[in-house]
Amino acid sequence: MSGNTTTDKAITIRNLVVDYGPRRILNGINLEIPNGQIMVIMGQSGAGKSTLLRCILGLKKPTSGSIHMLGTDIATASRTDIYKARKQIGVAFQGGALFSSMTVAENIQLALHEHTNLDEKTIQIMTRIKLDMVNMLEAENLMPSELSGGMAKRAALARAIIMDPKLLFFDEPSSGLDPSTAAELDQLILTLKKGMGMTIVVVTHELDSIFKIADHIAVMKDGNLIETGTPQQIIASTNPEIQGMLNRKPRETIVDTDAHLRRLTGGF
Amino acid sequence: MECNVTSESGFDLIKLSGEVDLQFSPQLREKILGCLKAGHPLLIDLAKVSYIDSSGIASLVEGFQTAKTSKLQYGLLNISSTAMQVLTLTRLDKIFDLYSSTDQFKQKLQ
């Protein structure tokens, strides 16, 4: 399942600008995503990660700049060309985005029924292969409402890879998951990269996950790409904003309860 | 994808080359099921397969199940590293009978 590649970059983004009215959301992003590797786009809420992802997926036309993805300039391509490019990509959305009226298997098969003329038996076997990859074979007949958060994410991943995409996008894979389930999902992402040769773009702010899976990291802040590099380069960065993000600590455990109560009530 | 079927002594041999993907896997499926329907043991040579997607793997799996039901020998020959990677990922490397020569398969038929 590792398709041929003609260039060493799956995605090349040049001078990407997105304005919403008077607000500049992305401010001249330049980014290259190498083939067959995992690129993590990190940054806090409001950094512009989701807008960047929407632009790459062709869901948002940028104000200016270019995005070359698997040979297509997404920023200027026609709807037909964007549609063709989309057939080569898989997207696992944050909340799973499974259709609630369909079983897990039906959700996963949807693209095959829509875009191919494969025999029903082939479709069934492909579905079960993908369910097995995400360790959910036993859940094929469950409805989305019967799934835990981790299972819904894995089902969304199975749906995203059903057509063996060259490029997989994963939006916040670990958010809302307990540490052990998040670690399982990280491992699964690594396995997909190794076994299927996929280029994987993960958008997240979960530090634990980032340093487990990333080959490259792009750090965003306030619509700007403030640093790119390998995990080692990012850790060694002297940029105080990067260090601020990396050293972010959980909220302090309350030690002085009286002081905290006073802070909340104003001490009346 | 190229898919050539030859009749060997006591079995059919399918030689595949190129990319086995969504576009070509229906053709592969048809050839596999055709050989098995004719009641012939089947060996599939994957040495020259540069890429196989899960629709191609699904066709191989369906063939394997059909052969098992029909009590026919069925094997994969000269698995390329690309194809092996996919079989390993899907844990099918433990299920298929894998061969490194046609002679090995012939011995199994005896």
Side-chain angles (χ1 to χ4, degrees):
Chain A
M1 291 183 223
S2 50
N4 287 343
T5 53
T6 51
T7 152
D8 62 339
K9 302 286 181 277
I11 301 174
T12 305
I13 299 169
R14 293 272 177 260
N15 303 316
L16 193 74
V17 172
V18 172
D19 292 332
Y20 280 122
R23 277 185 64 214
R24 180 144 291 187
I25 308 298
L26 294 180
N27 187 24
I29 303 290
N30 288 290
L31 182 64
E32 290 184 332
I33 300 179
N35 265 316
Q37 303 212 344
I38 299 177
M39 167 68 80
V40 172
I41 301 173
M42 68 174 277
Q44 290 160 351
S45 301
K49 306 187 297 289
S50 298
T51 304
L52 178 59
L53 186 60
R54 286 173 57 78
C55 288
I56 296 173
L57 295 175
L59 298 172
K60 167 80 190 155
K61 280 257 179 203
T63 308
S64 62
S66 67
I67 301 169
H68 283 270
M69 180 170 68
L70 304 170
T72 303
D73 182 353
I74 297 298
T76 57
S78 64
R79 276 183 171 277
T80 316
D81 287 340
I82 289 179
Y83 182 72
K84 272 187 201 159
R86 275 199 199 139
K87 281 189 178 177
Q88 300 183 75
I89 67 175
V91 187
F93 293 104
Q94 190 172 352
L98 300 170
F99 291 104
S100 57
S101 58
M102 296 177 176
T103 64
V104 167
E106 287 165 347
N107 264 286
I108 292 168
Q109 293 165 357
L110 201 57
L112 292 175
H113 284 128
E114 289 283 318
H115 300 298
T116 74
N117 294 315
L118 293 173
D119 184 86
E120 192 56 35
K121 262 193 186 159
T122 307
I123 290 178
Q124 262 187 21
I125 295 170
M126 286 174 75
T127 305
R128 287 180 183 153
I129 285 174
K130 296 298 156 73
L131 279 168
D132 184 50
M133 277 186 189
V134 300
N135 200 18
M136 277 193 58
L137 204 44
E138 77 292 346
E140 67 174 328
N141 295 316
L142 294 182
M143 301 303 286
S145 59
E146 297 173 285
L147 304 179
S148 67
M151 287 170 90
K153 288 203 187 249
R154 281 186 282 147
L157 182 55
R159 186 175 64 180
I161 61 173
I162 190 66
M163 301 264 285
D164 297 313
K166 290 180 177 162
L167 251 169
L168 173 68
F169 294 89
F170 213 147
D171 192 11
E172 300 284 0
S174 319
S175 72
L177 299 182
D178 63 78
S180 138
T181 310
E184 272 177 30
L185 210 56
D186 289 340
Q187 193 51 51
L188 190 55
I189 292 170
L190 289 169
T191 306
L192 287 177
K193 179 194 116 179
K194 193 176 166 217
M196 296 175 79
M198 275 181 194
T199 305
I200 303 178
V201 180
V202 178
V203 174
T204 185
H205 59 267
E206 304 281 341
L207 289 176
D208 280 352
S209 178
I210 290 167
F211 288 99
K212 271 185 209 151
I213 62 174
D215 293 309
H216 299 275
I217 298 172
V219 188
M220 293 188 71
K221 186 164 194 265
D222 300 332
N224 293 292
L225 198 57
I226 59 172
E227 192 98 50
T228 56
T230 62
Q232 292 76 16
Q233 287 168 332
I234 297 295
I235 288 170
S237 168
T238 52
N239 183 329
E241 288 180 319
I242 304 278
Q243 284 307 316
M245 283 186 207
L246 297 183
N247 295 325
R248 198 178 60 206
K249 287 186 180 134
R251 298 185 74 189
E252 229 178 300
T253 309
I254 299 169
V255 186
D256 186 343
T257 50
D258 287 342
H260 187 54
L261 185 61
R262 275 197 301 279
R263 273 200 297 270
L264 293 177
T265 62
F268 58 83
Chain B
M1 181 193 83
E2 278 190 40
C3 180
N4 295 313
V5 186
T6 53
S7 284
E8 305 292 316
S9 53
F11 66 97
D12 284 346
L13 176 66
I14 294 181
K15 279 193 174 182
L16 289 176
S17 61
E19 299 194 350
V20 185
D21 58 13
L22 286 167
Q23 193 183 347
F24 294 109
S25 61
Q27 191 189 332
L28 170 62
R29 176 178 184 267
E30 198 183 302
K31 301 266 187 196
I32 291 173
L33 296 181
C35 294
L36 295 172
K37 248 183 210 164
H40 302 157
L42 181 62
L43 186 61
I44 302 170
D45 188 345
L46 297 162
K48 291 185 178 165
V49 170
S50 56
Y51 170 74
I52 184 162
D53 73 2
S54 52
S55 67
I57 299 289
S59 301
L60 297 178
V61 171
E62 187 182 352
F64 181 63
Q65 181 58 45
T66 307
K68 222 175 158 189
T69 310
S70 312
K71 297 189 168 52
L72 292 168
Q73 288 294 334
Y74 180 92
L76 305 182
L77 176 67
N78 298 325
I79 305 270
S80 61
S81 59
T82 309
M84 193 61 190
Q85 221 169 6
V86 179
L87 290 185
T88 307
L89 180 65
T90 51
R91 300 188 301 167
L92 290 164
D93 55 325
K94 304 275 187 283
I95 291 178
F96 285 119
D97 291 328
L98 307 178
Y99 298 91
S100 52
S101 70
T102 47
D103 284 344
Q104 261 188 329
F105 186 67
K106 279 181 194 166
Q107 279 171 13
K108 189 87 183 222
L109 294 177
Q110 286 160 6

